Amino acid sequence: MCGSCNMLIYGCVRQACSLLVDRLLDEERSAIELRPMSKFPVIRHLFVDRHRLLRALEKRECWIPVDGYADMGPGPRQSAAQQEKNYPLSQCMSRGCCLEACAQYQLVTVT
């Protein structure tokens, strides 16, 4: 769910945590090809920086901030139109797989 294990496996973006290695090797391959996602800056080895994605979600206020686990009562009131607008955003799991697979999204380097 978190996306920290996302990587390119044989050129396809996948979550390594839910992948079964024996199924990858069923195709008579002698090695597994792993690469970091190409649309995010590489921090180290296979780990990429997805903060750009998370900052965009924060900017759009795609979730309600929570300080703890105590019952905070009902959330803020929203109109039906606002609920309809927010619902698709709430389905994003913030992993970045969709951006990696999208031909329109490119890595932007900041200088």
Side-chain angles (χ1 to χ4, degrees), residues 6 16 34 38 45-46 53 56 63 66-67 71 80 94 97:
N6 288 352
L34 305 175
S38 64
H45 304 296
L46 298 170
L53 167 67
W63 55 80
V66 177
D67 260 349
D71 183 4
S94 310
C97 292

Side-chain angles (χ1 to χ4, degrees), residues 22-93:
D22 56 343
R23 291 198 181 154
L24 283 176
L25 296 174
D26 279 349
E27 300 172 19
E28 297 185 31
R29 298 178 181 178
S30 60
I32 298 172
E33 179 189 275
L34 305 175
R35 287 184 283 143
M37 290 195 297
S38 64
K39 309 279 177 84
F40 298 93
V42 176
I43 293 176
R44 185 171 182 203
H45 304 296
L46 298 170
F47 188 68
V48 297
D49 182 1
R50 293 177 302 128
H51 284 102
R52 181 177 171 201
L53 167 67
L54 299 175
R55 280 192 305 269
L57 292 171
E58 286 174 354
K59 185 177 179 179
R60 295 290 302 149
E61 297 177 2
C62 295
W63 55 80
I64 299 170
V66 177
D67 260 349
Y69 295 101
D71 183 4
M72 297 171 61
R77 308 252 327 137
Q78 293 182 342
S79 67
Q82 186 65 39
Q83 290 174 15
E84 288 293 322
K85 181 180 173 185
N86 289 350
Y87 182 70
L89 299 173
S90 74
Q91 294 176 316
C92 176
M93 292 191 286

Side-chain angles (χ1 to χ4, degrees), residues 97-109:
C97 292
C98 58
L99 298 176
E100 181 63 33
C102 178
Q104 300 295 319
Y105 186 83
Q106 299 296 320
L107 171 63
V108 175
T109 55

